[in-house]
Amino acid sequence: MKTSLTVATLAVTCMFTLNSCGGSGEKTPEATQPITTEATPPLAEKITNVLTLSGNDQMKFDKNELIARAGETITLTLKHTGTMEKNVMGHNFVLLKQGTDINAFAQKALKAKDNDYIPKSESANILAHTKLIGGGESDVITFKLMEKGTYDFICSFPGHFAVMKGKLIIR
Ligand code: ZN
């Protein structure tokens, strides 16, 4: 009984989210047919501007790649899944303008302890950033990028950027 209920639930879910069920990947025969105006491109379905990223006590982000759409508000939630305090294992998300020298940026960030390692002198290179958080904390930010492309993000806590970095791809 429980099994059939689950199947029924899945079927109902599929009815409401037709596009995401049945593995409608690019390799299906349907994808080779001319795209009608009412069809949503497969790529667009997969991109959501609601992003989550976690940092842990092992000084790692859980993702090194995030994807979002250009021209629409992006909501990013940064979570610290560890237990260590932010003065020991603090994490933030700092999104850098394309072409920013990450090493040079991180060197300046090192000296910006009084501003949670966000160097004010580099504000022109910072597209968005969260606050610095410790274990169990989280922060949510919203921002928007108009230009498609690949952007670097790092944690600017001293010594973390070498490992805690990734790419935000805007499509
Ligand atoms: Zn960190």
Side-chain angles (χ1 to χ4, degrees), residues 59 61 89-92 132 155-157 160 164:
M59 207 175 90
F61 280 136
M89 185 55 72
H91 299 315
N92 62 11
L132 190 71
C155 169
S156 69
F157 191 89
H160 287 198
M164 300 189 77

Side-chain angles (χ1 to χ4, degrees), residues 51-83:
L51 308 175
T52 58
L53 182 68
S54 297
N56 61 19
D57 284 347
Q58 283 71 49
M59 207 175 90
K60 283 187 176 152
F61 280 136
D62 67 334
K63 297 177 187 120
N64 56 21
E65 189 178 285
L66 299 170
I67 302 173
R69 266 198 294 269
E72 296 173 24
T73 301
I74 297 168
T75 303
L76 179 130
T77 303
L78 177 70
K79 290 178 188 166
H80 192 316
T81 56
T83 57

